[in-house]
């Protein structure tokens, strides 16, 4: 029997207790939460925290707050009284993705998937309201059960259960969706498929840690690779198949809305150990191999590219695919020629799977590329990839050119998990200005200390309550590295206006992430993340765009009863806290772990549970 959530069980509402630890400055707080569980049963985590804090905690009654279904609360928010109150958006916006809005998308050209790329609303069209959760929304099941089950109320779309019924993607059972782990190209299940790949690719020993899954579907490949210590960055277009990326995130699998079109993918060069396409419908041989050149840019020297499905082994499969064999033959010819031009070595072809490997260095390939008159990319920065509007034709559009190998070798990259704290090659080589090996070690130690403090502030941090976590200003990935756990993953976001482009080093640690400009909406569905961390983000964007817009975007992508940790200068946090006072968040500001004299403070918050049409814990 599939487990069934019980959205109507009012006994599962949140109960939050904040404790203050006795010490020199009494500055640590411990936040425990009873979550609204997908099972409809309250857990006892908060009670356990209360029991285990011992005699070093003095419980201060005026720091306690409690939320109830449809009830009123006495807010502990002490921000100024004159605050702007943000109203709920209309229920039709429950799945609103601002930069991938379907109505806006259809006004753009369909050539090269332009209409499915990012197209953000102008200032006058931005929503200044709170995106509601759908009626009956419940907290997703904890991992690993979430890999196989998603509450129907959270993503109530059945089209995939019909369209992909015989391919074992997803099945509807009562009030849950069940994900059997199947796929178009792995009818025997993702594990069997991965075993086949692992017979060629060194997945077991930590050589392959990061994977880019293009056209990911419901991300079953990434879901099943997790147990093998491989983390996938999965992406698919908005509504190519309805709710596929939304399903992936509800399952607790990293995914974003994205497409290979005219814009470079928002990842650094040499980021992934492996790239994968399983019937992802990308025309790899078209446009003179431009899309394969983009895969080559993000693929690490020695990395692998897997193509599963048409046109591989077309002579045997063309009848089953119901496509002309001449068309498939030409498609494979173009792919083979592009791979040869890139100096990829074909390692395997069997059934409908082909695997190529990128060479470790460019020296052995230069003569062949010279003979074929390959065009090398002229941009001095292969990581300059963030998109620009169509009317600004700048260098970060995808070009038909090959990214040169770096001057420094990436061969020093260690296997995972050793690479998590080893000095990344980009740091060791001096490729990141101002970041030496010593600075990197200092940053790692600092974040170990900060995360230790966070775990005292919020004892649920590594309990399994938070699966999908985002770091909005990730730097060198120290926060994610210090949190590293099989229970969670972190989306490391490096803002496009950050002082240094550090995302390449984040990937060299065996972590994943993405470039983004927080003046715009993130490429994800509402309610994607359980916990959001923002270190220095509001200082970075102060006077560059509206802080209100950033906070509303945080609210959009945060799940009901999700948590927020904001670390910043006190004067900036006062502005932030004033805005939050008009949102449905419960907040508390506290001192830096080194004491009240440090100007940097920490603001913690919990988003209240409320849904479209009522069932709210807010007094607004």
């Amino acid at each position: 029997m599939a487990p069934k959530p019980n959205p109507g069980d009012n006994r599962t509402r949140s109960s939050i207790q904040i404790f203050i630890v006795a010490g020199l400055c009494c500055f640590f707080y411990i936040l425990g939460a009873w979550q609204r569980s997908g099972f409809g049963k309250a857990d006892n985590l908060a009670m356990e925290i209360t029991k285990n804090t011992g005699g070093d905690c003095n419980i201060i009654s005026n720091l306690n707050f409690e939320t109830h279904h449809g009830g009123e609360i006495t807010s502990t928010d002490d921000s100024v009284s004159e605050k702007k109150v943000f109203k709920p958006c209309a229920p039709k916006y429950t799945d609103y993705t601002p930069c991938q809005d379907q109505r806006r998308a259809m006004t753009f050209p369909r050539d090269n998937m332009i209409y499915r790329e990012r197209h953000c609303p102008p200032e006058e069209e931005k929503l200044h309201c709170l995106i509601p959760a759908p009626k009956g929304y419940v907290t997703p099941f904890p991992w690993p059960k979430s890999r196989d089950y998603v509450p129907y109320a959270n993503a109530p779309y059945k089209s995939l259960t019909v369209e992909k019924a015989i391919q074992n993607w997803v099945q509807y059972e009562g009030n849950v969706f069940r994900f059997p782990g199947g796929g178009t190209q792995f009818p025997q299940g993702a594990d069997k498929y991965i075993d086949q790949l692992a017979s060629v690719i060194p997945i077991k020993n930590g050589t392959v840690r990061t994977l880019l899954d293009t056209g990911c579907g419901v991300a079953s490949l990434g879901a099943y690779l997790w147990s093998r210590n491989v983390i996938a960055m999965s992406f698919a277009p908005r509504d190519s198949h309805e709710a596929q990326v939304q399903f992936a995130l509800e399952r607790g699998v990293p995914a974003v809305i994205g497409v290979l079109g005219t814009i470079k993918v928002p990842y650094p060069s040499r980021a992934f150990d492996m790239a994968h396409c399983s019937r992802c419908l990308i025309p790899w041989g078209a446009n003179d191999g431009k899309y394969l050149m983009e895969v080559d840019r993000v693929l690490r020297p020695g990395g692998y590219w897997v193509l599963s499905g048409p046109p591989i082994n077309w002579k045997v499969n063309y009848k089953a695919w119901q496509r002309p064999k001449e068309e498939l033959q030409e498609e494979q010819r173009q792919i083979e020629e592009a791979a040869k031009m890139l100096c990829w070595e074909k390692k395997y072809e069997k059934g409908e799977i082909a695997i190529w490997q990128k060479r470790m260095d460019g020296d052995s390939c230069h003569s062949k590329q010279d003979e074929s008159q390959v065009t090398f990319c002229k941009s001095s920065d292969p990581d300059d990839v963030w998109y620009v509007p169509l009317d600004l034709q700048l260098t970060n559009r995808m070009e038909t050119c090959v990214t040169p190998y770096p001057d420094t070798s990436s061969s020093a990259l260690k296997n995972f998990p050793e690479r998590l704290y080893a000095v990344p090659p980009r740091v060791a080589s001096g490729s990141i200005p101002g970041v030496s090996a010593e600075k990197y070690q200092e940053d790692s130690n600092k974040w170990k200390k900060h995360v230790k403090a966070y775990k005292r502030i919020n004892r649920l941090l590594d309990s399994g309550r938070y699966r999908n976590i985002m770091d909005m200003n990730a730097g060198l990935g120290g926060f994610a590295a210090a949190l590293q756990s099989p229970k969670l993953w972190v989306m490391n976001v490096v803002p496009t206006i950050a002082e240094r482009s550090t995302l390449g080093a984040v990937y060299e640690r065996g972590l994943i992430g993405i470039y983004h400009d927080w003046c715009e909406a993130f490429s994800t569905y509402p309610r994607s993340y359980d916990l959001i961390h923002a270190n220095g983000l509001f200082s970075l964007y102060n006077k560059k765009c509206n802080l209100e817009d950033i906070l509303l975007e945080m609210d959009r992508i945060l799940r009901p009863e999700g948590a927020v940790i904001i670390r910043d200068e006190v004067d900036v946090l006062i502005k932030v806290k004033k805005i939050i006072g008009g949102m449905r968040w419960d907040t508390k500001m506290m001192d830096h772990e080194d004491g009240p004299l440090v100007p940097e403070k920490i603001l913690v918050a919990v988003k209240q549970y409320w849904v479209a049409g009522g069932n709210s814990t807010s007094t607004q």
Side-chain angles (χ1 to χ4, degrees), residues 227-290:
S227 63
R228 305 188 190 216
N229 230 4
V230 175
I231 185 167
M233 171 65 79
S234 301
F235 72 84
R238 170 76 157 91
D239 283 347
S240 177
H241 296 302
E242 193 172 32
Q244 55 187 344
V245 169
Q246 190 175 20
F247 277 137
L249 288 158
E250 285 292 316
R251 297 175 74 185
V253 182
V256 293
I257 301 171
V259 65
L260 271 176
T262 67
I263 301 165
K264 295 178 183 176
V265 290
Y267 314 112
S269 58
R270 313 186 311 279
F272 296 96
D273 301 308
M274 179 177 163
H276 175 265
C277 161
S278 172
R279 283 209 187 187
C280 60
L281 305 180
I282 295 171
W284 294 111
N287 300 318
D288 298 319
K290 180 168 65 174

Side-chain angles (χ1 to χ4, degrees), residues 69 91 96 128 235 269 273 278 395 415 508:
H69 262 313
Y96 182 55
H128 292 277
F235 72 84
S269 58
D273 301 308
S278 172
T395 57
N415 290 354
E508 287 177 341

Side-chain angles (χ1 to χ4, degrees), residues 461-476:
L461 202 54
D462 193 23
S463 69
R465 172 62 178 87
Y466 308 124
R467 169 70 181 173
N468 302 0
I469 297 177
M470 172 178 283
D471 192 357
M472 297 177 72
N473 187 18
L476 291 165

Side-chain angles (χ1 to χ4, degrees), residues 445-462:
N445 293 334
K446 177 185 75 174
W447 281 106
K448 287 178 182 178
K449 175 182 175 182
H450 287 340
V451 168
K452 184 177 180 181
Y454 291 161
K455 288 181 177 179
R456 296 185 67 190
I457 291 169
N458 185 345
R459 290 287 179 91
L460 301 178
L461 202 54
D462 193 23

Side-chain angles (χ1 to χ4, degrees), residues 87-156:
K87 301 294 184 181
C89 302
K92 67 180 181 180
Y93 290 108
T94 54
D95 289 332
Y96 182 55
T97 57
C99 296
Q100 284 88 13
D101 180 63
Q102 288 296 91
R103 291 168 299 175
R104 185 179 299 105
M106 298 310 295
T107 66
F108 288 90
R110 300 179 74 89
D111 298 344
N112 295 319
M113 300 291 283
I114 291 173
Y115 76 114
R116 291 203 184 276
E117 293 180 331
R118 286 177 60 84
H119 302 292
C120 299
E123 190 65 35
E124 63 271 15
E125 291 183 18
K126 288 183 178 179
L127 297 180
H128 292 277
C129 51
L130 304 176
I131 301 296
K135 203 164 187 178
Y137 177 86
V138 294
T139 300
F141 298 109
W143 185 267
K145 191 164 288 293
S146 66
R147 187 194 72 177
D148 302 329
Y149 297 99
V150 166
Y152 171 76
N154 292 10

